[in-house]
Amino acid sequence: MNAAVTPATQALDRAGLAGALVTLGCAIAFPVLGLLHPGTHLQPTDVPLSAEEFIRPLNAHADAVLLWMSIDTLFVIAYLTTFTAARALTVSRPLGTFGLAAMFAAGTLDMVENAVLAVAAAQVSGPDQLTAASTTVLYVIAQLKTAAATTGVAFLALALPTHTRLLRAVVGTAAAFVVVTVAGVALPELGPVEAAPILLLTALLAAVFTGRLRRAAANRAVPPAVVPHDLPV
């Protein structure tokens, strides 16, 4: 299925590619920042922690937590841009729309989670130390975020066409993310593994957008056919 190339579709493809590249850049920045603070969970909602372990990075590395939250805010904007552009690739409007709505719900919850952690870290940047945190509420928000993102990716996979190997790889990777994330509810230790399929999915979507932009550029480079109008009868 080849949709007509229009300025609107090209703008979406460019936005999708930019969003995917920024998403991947943020995904690289997170472990680098983590390596600079070994043994510390700068995003404490990523793994099950005791209340004491949860507030430790907020008290000991408040500036690093704030930097993580700023990168994560950019990360949210980037992946929402990517999935908004990916919605235009779908062949089922209801499935694509529902998937995008679920991704925006995940992004909203992600922003709320970041805001709560950033406010807590900002409070302890001064002389006061944090003695308690709403860990249960934050873990509920994190779980709802993950559920919404999983739903969004699942519906995107159901809505995408599969007429090329690259698109089939996108659908297969999205399915793998859904399986791993759902399994992670029962097995929280799978949390670190969940990042692999979603990053691969993002890279594959970047490849899809790149291919579409290249084809559009190639089509523009082909001169229009010359139709003779004054041929002798």
Side-chain angles (χ1 to χ4, degrees), residues 6 37 42 45 54 60 65 90 114 127 151 198-199 205 210 219 221 228:
T6 66
H37 301 83
L42 297 177
T45 50
F54 192 96
V65 171
T90 62
N114 289 345
T151 302
I198 196 64
L199 292 179
L205 286 173
T210 300
N219 289 339

Side-chain angles (χ1 to χ4, degrees), residues 120-203:
Q123 287 175 330
V124 299
S125 294
D128 297 330
Q129 291 284 295
L130 195 67
T131 57
S134 303
T135 55
T136 300
V137 173
L138 282 166
Y139 277 126
V140 169
I141 292 172
Q143 180 58 38
L144 289 172
K145 172 192 71 176
T146 301
T150 305
T151 302
V153 171
F155 275 84
L156 174 66
L158 293 171
L160 284 173
T162 56
H163 59 273
T164 69
R165 282 184 294 181
L166 185 54
L167 284 170
R168 287 193 291 273
V170 170
V171 171
T173 306
F177 170 75
V178 172
V179 171
V180 171
T181 306
V182 170
V185 176
L187 302 168
E189 58 269 23
L190 289 177
V193 183
E194 293 174 10
I198 196 64
L199 292 179
L200 178 57
L201 174 62
T202 303

Side-chain angles (χ1 to χ4, degrees), residues 75-154:
F75 181 70
V76 175
I77 295 169
Y79 74 66
L80 288 180
T81 302
T82 303
F83 279 92
T84 298
R87 158 68 182 81
L89 305 175
T90 62
V91 292
S92 170
R93 185 167 185 171
L95 290 173
T97 300
F98 190 85
L100 183 57
M103 289 306 302
F104 268 85
T108 300
L109 290 164
D110 209 345
M111 288 287 198
V112 171
E113 177 188 10
N114 289 345
V116 174
L117 289 171
V119 168
Q123 287 175 330
V124 299
S125 294
D128 297 330
Q129 291 284 295
L130 195 67
T131 57
S134 303
T135 55
T136 300
V137 173
L138 282 166
Y139 277 126
V140 169
I141 292 172
Q143 180 58 38
L144 289 172
K145 172 192 71 176
T146 301
T150 305
T151 302
V153 171

